[in-house]
Amino acid sequence: GSVLEAEDISASNFKRPVHSVALDPNYKSSKTFISGGMAGDVILSERGWLGNRSDTILQKSDDPVIAIYWIDGLIIWMNDSGINIYNQHTRKLLMNIPRPENSPRADLYKPRICTPESNRIYIAWADRVWNLKVTVTKSKDLKALLPSSASMILSSGSSMRSQAIEQTITVESELQVDCLIAGIAAFKDD
Protein backbone atom coordinates (compact mmCIF):
# COMPACT_ATOMS: atom_id res chain seq x y z
CA GLY A 1 0.00 0.00 0.00
CA SER A 2 0.91 3.62 -0.40
CA VAL A 3 2.26 5.47 2.62
CA LEU A 4 0.77 8.75 1.38
CA GLU A 5 -2.60 7.66 -0.04
CA ALA A 6 -4.78 5.32 2.05
CA GLU A 7 -7.03 4.45 -0.91
CA ASP A 8 -4.07 3.16 -2.94
CA ILE A 9 -3.89 -0.23 -1.20
CA SER A 10 -3.73 -3.60 -2.94
CA ALA A 11 -4.58 -6.81 -1.11
CA SER A 12 -3.57 -10.26 -2.38
CA ASN A 13 -4.35 -13.65 -0.87
CA PHE A 14 -2.07 -16.50 -1.94
CA LYS A 15 -3.60 -19.04 0.51
CA ARG A 16 -0.18 -19.93 2.00
CA PRO A 17 2.44 -17.86 3.88
CA VAL A 18 4.45 -15.53 1.63
CA HIS A 19 8.16 -15.30 2.54
CA SER A 20 9.35 -12.81 -0.03
CA VAL A 21 8.02 -10.07 -2.30
CA ALA A 22 9.96 -8.05 -4.88
CA LEU A 23 8.48 -4.99 -6.57
CA ASP A 24 9.06 -4.08 -10.21
CA PRO A 25 11.47 -1.12 -10.34
CA ASN A 26 8.63 0.66 -12.23
CA TYR A 27 5.97 -0.45 -9.74
CA LYS A 28 4.36 3.00 -9.57
CA SER A 29 3.10 2.67 -13.14
CA SER A 30 3.14 -1.11 -13.72
CA LYS A 31 1.79 -2.38 -10.35
CA THR A 32 3.80 -5.57 -11.04
CA PHE A 33 5.40 -7.67 -8.31
CA ILE A 34 6.83 -11.15 -7.73
CA SER A 35 6.04 -13.23 -4.65
CA GLY A 36 6.89 -16.63 -3.26
CA GLY A 37 6.65 -18.58 -0.06
CA MET A 38 5.63 -21.88 1.51
CA ALA A 39 3.52 -22.98 -1.48
CA GLY A 40 6.76 -23.16 -3.51
CA ASP A 41 5.38 -21.18 -6.46
CA VAL A 42 7.10 -18.07 -7.79
CA ILE A 43 4.22 -15.85 -8.93
CA LEU A 44 4.38 -12.81 -11.21
CA SER A 45 1.39 -10.58 -10.41
CA GLU A 46 0.57 -7.77 -12.81
CA ARG A 47 -2.32 -5.58 -13.78
CA GLY A 48 -4.54 -7.54 -16.13
CA TRP A 49 -7.69 -6.91 -18.09
CA LEU A 50 -9.81 -4.03 -16.71
CA GLY A 51 -7.37 -3.45 -13.86
CA ASN A 52 -7.82 -6.89 -12.27
CA ARG A 53 -4.73 -8.71 -11.02
CA SER A 54 -3.34 -11.38 -13.32
CA ASP A 55 -1.04 -14.05 -11.85
CA THR A 56 1.52 -16.05 -13.84
CA ILE A 57 3.45 -18.89 -12.20
CA LEU A 58 7.11 -18.60 -13.20
CA GLN A 59 8.16 -21.75 -11.32
CA LYS A 60 6.15 -24.45 -9.60
CA SER A 61 7.99 -26.35 -6.89
CA ASP A 62 7.47 -28.17 -3.61
CA ASP A 63 10.35 -26.22 -2.07
CA PRO A 64 9.53 -22.99 -0.20
CA VAL A 65 10.84 -19.80 -1.80
CA ILE A 66 13.41 -18.25 0.56
CA ALA A 67 14.09 -14.89 -1.13
CA ILE A 68 13.31 -12.92 -4.30
CA TYR A 69 15.26 -9.98 -5.74
CA TRP A 70 14.43 -7.83 -8.79
CA ILE A 71 17.47 -6.14 -10.35
CA ASP A 72 16.71 -4.20 -13.53
CA GLY A 73 15.24 -6.83 -15.88
CA LEU A 74 16.53 -9.81 -13.88
CA ILE A 75 14.46 -11.64 -11.29
CA ILE A 76 16.45 -13.82 -8.90
CA TRP A 77 14.86 -16.26 -6.45
CA MET A 78 16.27 -18.88 -4.12
CA ASN A 79 14.75 -22.14 -2.90
CA ASP A 80 15.98 -25.64 -1.99
CA SER A 81 16.84 -26.30 -5.64
CA GLY A 82 19.27 -23.36 -5.67
CA ILE A 83 19.52 -19.92 -7.26
CA ASN A 84 17.27 -19.21 -10.25
CA ILE A 85 17.77 -16.23 -12.57
CA TYR A 86 14.92 -15.20 -14.88
CA ASN A 87 14.82 -12.52 -17.60
CA GLN A 88 11.70 -10.39 -17.28
CA HIS A 89 11.76 -9.16 -20.89
CA THR A 90 12.30 -12.46 -22.71
CA ARG A 91 10.38 -14.41 -20.01
CA LYS A 92 13.05 -17.12 -19.94
CA LEU A 93 14.89 -18.83 -17.10
CA LEU A 94 18.51 -17.87 -17.81
CA MET A 95 20.25 -19.97 -15.19
CA ASN A 96 19.82 -22.33 -12.27
CA ILE A 97 22.75 -22.66 -9.88
CA PRO A 98 22.11 -25.86 -7.89
CA ARG A 99 22.42 -25.64 -4.13
CA PRO A 100 25.72 -27.31 -3.17
CA GLU A 101 25.62 -30.68 -1.44
CA ASN A 102 26.28 -30.61 2.31
CA SER A 103 25.26 -26.94 2.53
CA PRO A 104 23.18 -25.84 5.53
CA ARG A 105 19.39 -25.95 5.32
CA ALA A 106 18.26 -23.38 2.76
CA ASP A 107 15.44 -21.91 4.84
CA LEU A 108 17.62 -21.14 7.88
CA TYR A 109 19.78 -18.47 6.21
CA LYS A 110 18.51 -15.59 4.09
CA PRO A 111 20.49 -15.03 0.90
CA ARG A 112 21.95 -11.57 0.34
CA ILE A 113 22.74 -9.84 -2.95
CA CYS A 114 25.11 -7.00 -3.81
CA THR A 115 25.30 -5.29 -7.22
CA PRO A 116 28.39 -3.07 -7.19
CA GLU A 117 28.31 -2.61 -10.99
CA SER A 118 25.61 -2.91 -13.62
CA ASN A 119 27.19 -6.11 -14.98
CA ARG A 120 28.17 -7.79 -11.69
CA ILE A 121 26.11 -9.60 -9.03
CA TYR A 122 27.45 -11.06 -5.79
CA ILE A 123 25.24 -13.56 -3.98
CA ALA A 124 26.02 -14.63 -0.41
CA TRP A 125 24.05 -17.52 1.06
CA ALA A 126 24.92 -19.42 4.23
CA ASP A 127 28.62 -20.33 3.74
CA ARG A 128 29.03 -19.52 0.00
CA VAL A 129 29.59 -16.51 -2.23
CA TRP A 130 28.93 -16.53 -5.98
CA ASN A 131 30.38 -13.93 -8.35
CA LEU A 132 28.12 -13.60 -11.43
CA LYS A 133 28.82 -11.63 -14.58
CA VAL A 134 25.93 -10.27 -16.65
CA THR A 135 26.65 -9.85 -20.35
CA VAL A 136 24.25 -7.78 -22.45
CA THR A 137 24.10 -8.33 -26.19
CA LYS A 138 21.84 -6.72 -28.75
CA SER A 139 20.00 -8.94 -31.17
CA LYS A 140 19.59 -7.43 -34.62
CA ASP A 141 16.16 -8.97 -35.06
CA LEU A 142 13.39 -8.84 -32.47
CA LYS A 143 11.72 -11.83 -34.15
CA ALA A 144 14.67 -14.00 -33.07
CA LEU A 145 13.69 -13.47 -29.43
CA LEU A 146 9.97 -14.10 -29.91
CA PRO A 147 8.40 -17.54 -29.42
CA SER A 148 7.92 -19.47 -32.66
CA SER A 149 4.13 -19.02 -32.53
CA ALA A 150 4.53 -15.23 -32.42
CA SER A 151 7.08 -15.31 -35.25
CA MET A 152 4.55 -17.03 -37.51
CA ILE A 153 2.02 -14.26 -36.92
CA LEU A 154 4.43 -11.50 -37.95
CA SER A 155 4.89 -11.06 -41.66
CA SER A 156 8.38 -10.92 -43.11
CA GLY A 157 7.85 -7.24 -43.96
CA SER A 158 6.73 -6.41 -40.43
CA SER A 159 7.85 -3.19 -38.83
CA MET A 160 8.58 -5.13 -35.60
CA ARG A 161 12.21 -5.40 -36.62
CA SER A 162 14.25 -3.51 -34.07
CA GLN A 163 17.13 -4.23 -31.76
CA ALA A 164 16.30 -6.27 -28.69
CA ILE A 165 18.47 -6.77 -25.62
CA GLU A 166 19.44 -10.27 -24.54
CA GLN A 167 21.27 -11.07 -21.31
CA THR A 168 23.51 -14.00 -20.44
CA ILE A 169 24.80 -14.90 -16.98
CA THR A 170 28.05 -16.67 -16.17
CA VAL A 171 29.39 -17.79 -12.81
CA GLU A 172 32.89 -16.36 -12.62
CA SER A 173 33.72 -17.79 -9.21
CA GLU A 174 32.29 -19.56 -6.18
CA LEU A 175 33.84 -19.29 -2.75
CA GLN A 176 33.09 -21.42 0.30
CA VAL A 177 34.05 -20.04 3.70
CA ASP A 178 34.23 -21.73 7.11
CA CYS A 179 31.67 -19.40 8.71
CA LEU A 180 28.15 -18.16 8.04
CA ILE A 181 27.78 -14.98 5.98
CA ALA A 182 25.38 -12.40 7.38
CA GLY A 183 25.67 -9.88 4.52
CA ILE A 184 27.76 -8.79 1.57
CA ALA A 185 29.01 -5.43 0.28
CA ALA A 186 31.55 -4.23 -2.25
CA PHE A 187 34.53 -2.00 -1.58
CA LYS A 188 34.63 0.81 -4.14
CA ASP A 189 37.57 0.62 -6.57
CA ASP A 190 39.00 -2.50 -4.89
Side-chain angles (χ1 to χ4, degrees), residues 59-116:
Q59 183 183 54
K60 204 165 194 45
S61 172
D62 294 330
D63 305 327
V65 177
I66 309 302
I68 300 174
Y69 295 91
W70 198 321
I71 302 166
D72 295 327
L74 295 177
I75 300 165
I76 304 169
W77 66 85
M78 290 81 163
N79 57 15
D80 282 341
S81 70
I83 301 167
N84 301 284
I85 303 171
Y86 181 86
N87 186 311
Q88 169 196 6
H89 304 295
T90 61
R91 299 204 175 222
K92 288 186 200 174
L93 186 66
L94 298 177
M95 174 180 273
N96 172 273
I97 303 170
R99 210 171 67 109
E101 290 185 29
N102 302 324
S103 60
R105 265 183 46 195
D107 60 336
L108 292 180
Y109 307 100
K110 183 156 175 79
R112 305 292 181 191
I113 289 186
C114 175
T115 54

Side-chain angles (χ1 to χ4, degrees), residues 45-63:
S45 300
E46 51 196 342
R47 200 178 330 177
W49 181 251
L50 298 175
N52 295 327
R53 191 183 87 211
S54 171
D55 292 339
T56 304
I57 297 176
L58 302 181
Q59 183 183 54
K60 204 165 194 45
S61 172
D62 294 330
D63 305 327

Side-chain angles (χ1 to χ4, degrees), residues 21-178:
V21 174
L23 299 179
D24 179 352
N26 299 316
Y27 180 79
K28 184 175 181 178
S29 60
S30 72
K31 302 296 186 205
T32 302
F33 64 94
I34 303 278
S35 61
M38 291 304 293
D41 298 341
V42 177
I43 301 171
L44 170 68
S45 300
E46 51 196 342
R47 200 178 330 177
W49 181 251
L50 298 175
N52 295 327
R53 191 183 87 211
S54 171
D55 292 339
T56 304
I57 297 176
L58 302 181
Q59 183 183 54
K60 204 165 194 45
S61 172
D62 294 330
D63 305 327
V65 177
I66 309 302
I68 300 174
Y69 295 91
W70 198 321
I71 302 166
D72 295 327
L74 295 177
I75 300 165
I76 304 169
W77 66 85
M78 290 81 163
N79 57 15
D80 282 341
S81 70
I83 301 167
N84 301 284
I85 303 171
Y86 181 86
N87 186 311
Q88 169 196 6
H89 304 295
T90 61
R91 299 204 175 222
K92 288 186 200 174
L93 186 66
L94 298 177
M95 174 180 273
N96 172 273
I97 303 170
R99 210 171 67 109
E101 290 185 29
N102 302 324
S103 60
R105 265 183 46 195
D107 60 336
L108 292 180
Y109 307 100
K110 183 156 175 79
R112 305 292 181 191
I113 289 186
C114 175
T115 54
E117 304 165 14
S118 61
N119 67 339
R120 179 99 30 221
I121 300 172
Y122 299 134
I123 300 174
W125 191 8
D127 61 348
R128 309 243 175 191
V129 177
W130 288 269
N131 173 9
L132 307 178
K133 183 176 182 182
V134 180
T135 306
V136 177
T137 57
K138 292 188 178 187
S139 172
K140 297 196 186 288
D141 188 4
L142 180 62
K143 287 169 63 172
L145 295 176
L146 293 173
S148 60
S149 58
S151 296
M152 292 187 315
I153 294 171
L154 297 173
S155 69
S156 60
S158 173
S159 63
M160 276 292 282
R161 291 180 175 267
S162 64
Q163 286 195 347
I165 296 173
E166 191 169 332
Q167 295 171 312
T168 55
I169 310 287
T170 54
V171 178
E172 286 199 329
S173 62
E174 178 181 344
L175 172 69
Q176 182 177 9
V177 294
D178 59 354

